[in-house]
Amino acid sequence: MADCLFCKIAAGEIPCNKVYEDDDVLAFRDIAPKAPTHILIIPKKHIAHLADCTEEDAVLLAKIQLLAKLLADEEGIAKSGFRVVSNSGEDSGQEVAHLHYHLLGGKKLGDIC
Ligand code: AMP
């Protein structure tokens, strides 16, 4: 989508601190981290909100969840604990209208994201 920040990052038009990429998904470090580990996982396909997902996206969503677990392992936070959050829509405070999951950990997590 032309005016979407995360589509531009997925296309390599805007740089990011990449931690994982394949044909379907990209994971990169949040530019304003709220925890020692704060990674964003996005589908490359433009989906604005989790609320817009359909049955067709089931495999993609499962892949993102599993990737969150694998990245938590790599970051060394799988045992200490981590959080996976996806804000969807105005009341959630979603700032970027491209589906993304926050992977957070590395400290006791309070009321963030
Ligand atoms: P949300 O509020 O759930 O939409 O989260 C959007 C997240 O994107 C915030 O945590 C921002 O810090 C992060 N963000 C915005 N621009 C960038 C960027 N260029 N690179 C990495 N993270 C970004």
Side-chain angles (χ1 to χ4, degrees):
M1 199 186 178
D3 267 347
C4 172
L5 172 64
F6 286 177
C7 281
K8 287 180 180 168
I9 289 177
E13 293 166 15
I14 292 177
C16 70
N17 190 347
K18 181 167 56 178
V19 293
Y20 178 85
E21 180 173 22
D22 66 23
D23 288 346
D24 303 315
V25 300
L26 175 69
F28 53 97
R29 297 196 189 276
D30 196 291
I31 204 166
K34 296 186 174 66
T37 290
H38 189 169
I39 292 170
L40 300 175
I41 306 172
I42 67 168
K44 289 189 170 176
K45 158 185 165 178
H46 184 81
I47 303 170
H49 316 285
L50 185 56
D52 297 330
C53 288
T54 67
E55 195 73 28
E56 274 184 20
D57 302 311
V59 171
L60 182 62
L61 295 179
K63 185 171 182 175
I64 289 172
Q65 289 278 347
L66 193 57
L67 179 59
K69 182 261 174 195
L70 294 172
L71 292 177
D73 279 338
E74 278 185 18
E75 293 284 310
I77 57 171
K79 277 197 177 154
S80 53
F82 60 93
R83 184 179 293 163
V84 179
V85 180
S86 183
N87 294 317
S88 181
E90 192 179 340
D91 280 359
S92 74
Q94 183 181 9
E95 290 170 6
V96 180
H98 181 122
L99 178 65
H100 55 280
Y101 286 73
H102 299 256
L103 168 62
L104 296 142
K107 72 170 191 178
K108 290 267 184 211
L109 298 169
D111 188 17
I112 57 172
C113 281

